[in-house]
Amino acid sequence: MRRSTTLALVATLSVFGCSDSVRADLISPALPDTLRFRIEVGGSTDVSNELFYEEAFEDTTFLGRRLVSSPQTRYAGVMATSLEGTRGARTHSYAVRNDLAIGNRVRRDALGVVWRSRLSPEWRLDATPRIEYRWDRSFDRDLEQIAASGTARLRHTFLDPGTAAELGGRADFSRSSGTSAPFIPDRNAGGALRALERAALAGGDWRIEYAFNARAFPDSQLRDHYEHGIDTHWRNDWPAGSVWLEFGGERRVPIYAAPSTRDRFLEGRIAAEAQTPLSDDFALRLRTEGEALHYDSPDDSLYFDYQIARAALSLRMESAGCWMLGVGPRVEALFSRLDPGESYREIGGALDCEYLSAHSWWSVSPAAGWRQYEPVPSGSIGLHAPFAFYEVAAFADQSLAAALRARLSLSTRFEFHTDNSQDDRSLYFSLDVRRLF
């Protein structure tokens, strides 16, 4: 009897054109809300050093060429707390996270919120406010900064579930104090965005987004500017491989008449990537990138036009979905008509090794190459000498016993110039160990 009554009610609602969401609420029981709280407590350390040569003097006495080192070690106690849950029978979800670090040279506290509301089957609202405080005494800095930002997006999904449109707005501000504050001017900013995208189960995925931003600097009205930006990407997969394309750019113009051209420019970028399988375990990937910056009134010293082109070819091997190895050449070139001393050609090669499992993520990427600078015109002084470079970047995220988790980051680079007074070596190492409760 109860079952026949329910079927009759559904049929009646259908006749009178009741929405699918109302019918679903009457048929399906409300889902219980969820709540989860987590704490991470531990410590972190950062070690960095840069070594280079310089000519040393004592008063007016030349002491010769000396190796200069700038090592620094930073350590901190860290604690992260997070609260995640849902409300309204899971029609609303939220995540609140606070990251606190108190160290010998840097102290920071960041609070971020992610809120998502399902207003109807077609409409969704996302909001992501964030605020951060930072006290920085690293590398002789004297900086105290507070910054806040927030983004809200209203998303509409069309009858075709793969197609959606977004309308949003954003705002942020920053305030700094201390002797290093002039290098980070106070800022007020706000803007809006509009986007259209499609994510189909079969065929190409694409997205196009336009954003408008306005920025004002209380300490320097001449830096106030408007900025128009566009970002697009497209991806398609076939049995013979996949193709990914991206294009974007910004146009910045000052609000007030300014003597400098640094906030009157057009910047663009484009990237393309293609991958094709060679066998069950091997694939060939080609990636190309391009960047260009054009000032309305360029000069040959500070604000000069330039273009950068990059390309990398990689033979990739994947094993059992855990291991990935990639090796291949890469090239890069910078072109500058007004400042040819900055132009260069670079050729090199890289090896990428990555391991991913349920409890581990390891990545190691060594690379080496040669950078050749263009000859400067007669009568000019070249600032750069050609050099060979060797570098390694590594990252690890590893689960340990007793609910411990370690995260490691390492990068090091060696440069050997034809003018050995420009030789340079750098090291950065970071280790973060936490216990999850």
Side-chain angles (χ1 to χ4, degrees), residues 291-434:
E291 301 176 20
L293 181 66
H294 173 72
Y295 290 97
D296 290 12
S297 301
D299 57 43
D300 59 357
S301 56
L302 292 177
Y303 310 114
F304 54 89
D305 297 350
Y306 65 83
Q307 303 81 40
I308 300 178
R310 303 183 184 93
L313 182 65
S314 177
L315 177 63
R316 300 169 63 86
M317 180 187 73
E318 296 185 2
S319 175
C322 296
W323 282 98
M324 190 284 296
L325 293 174
V327 60
R330 65 184 190 184
V331 295
E332 181 177 321
L334 185 146
F335 309 92
S336 177
R337 181 180 60 83
L338 291 179
D339 195 353
E342 296 293 332
S343 300
Y344 64 80
R345 308 288 191 275
E346 181 178 297
I347 185 169
L351 171 67
D352 297 318
C353 179
E354 185 171 321
Y355 174 77
L356 181 64
S357 69
H359 305 287
S360 304
W361 180 19
W362 289 77
S363 175
V364 180
S365 301
W370 174 265
R371 177 175 293 188
Q372 179 70 44
Y373 283 92
E374 294 296 315
V376 299
S378 178
S380 301
I381 300 177
L383 300 178
H384 307 290
F387 62 87
F389 67 88
Y390 308 91
E391 60 185 22
V392 176
F395 173 82
D397 192 329
Q398 178 68 51
S399 294
L400 305 174
L404 291 173
R405 192 167 193 89
R407 178 170 293 179
L408 178 146
S409 179
L410 168 71
S411 65
T412 183
R413 181 180 172 95
F414 297 83
E415 294 182 4
F416 300 96
H417 295 249
T418 54
D419 176 4
N420 57 14
S421 66
Q422 299 184 22
D423 288 355
D424 186 34
R425 286 173 280 176
S426 62
L427 168 69
Y428 175 77
F429 172 82
S430 174
L431 176 63
D432 186 297
V433 180
R434 305 186 184 193

Side-chain angles (χ1 to χ4, degrees), residues 201-265:
L201 295 177
D205 297 345
W206 54 265
R207 178 182 174 90
I208 180 169
E209 177 178 307
Y210 164 77
F212 171 80
N213 292 290
R215 300 184 181 93
F217 300 84
D219 299 330
S220 177
Q221 192 180 62
L222 296 178
R223 293 298 314 276
D224 297 355
H225 60 259
Y226 298 123
E227 187 175 87
H228 305 268
I230 186 170
D231 278 292
T232 64
H233 71 254
W234 174 79
R235 177 186 177 90
N236 208 340
D237 296 306
W238 297 283
S242 62
V243 175
W244 176 81
L245 300 173
E246 181 181 7
F247 169 79
E250 287 81 33
R251 168 59 174 165
R252 181 179 294 184
V253 293
I255 298 176
Y256 308 101
S260 169
T261 187
R262 61 180 170 179
D263 288 316
R264 189 183 294 275
F265 63 79

Side-chain angles (χ1 to χ4, degrees), residues 144-221:
E144 194 168 5
Q145 183 182 21
I146 183 169
S149 63
T151 302
R153 294 173 180 253
L154 185 63
R155 181 182 180 89
H156 175 69
T157 303
F158 295 98
L159 294 178
D160 177 0
T163 306
E166 288 186 359
L167 179 65
R170 65 177 303 274
D172 69 81
F173 81 90
S174 174
R175 294 293 183 270
S176 304
S177 61
T179 58
S180 301
F183 300 101
I184 306 178
D186 294 345
R187 180 187 71 248
N188 301 317
L193 64 89
R194 184 69 186 267
L196 183 66
E197 70 175 32
R198 176 175 175 80
L201 295 177
D205 297 345
W206 54 265
R207 178 182 174 90
I208 180 169
E209 177 178 307
Y210 164 77
F212 171 80
N213 292 290
R215 300 184 181 93
F217 300 84
D219 299 330
S220 177
Q221 192 180 62

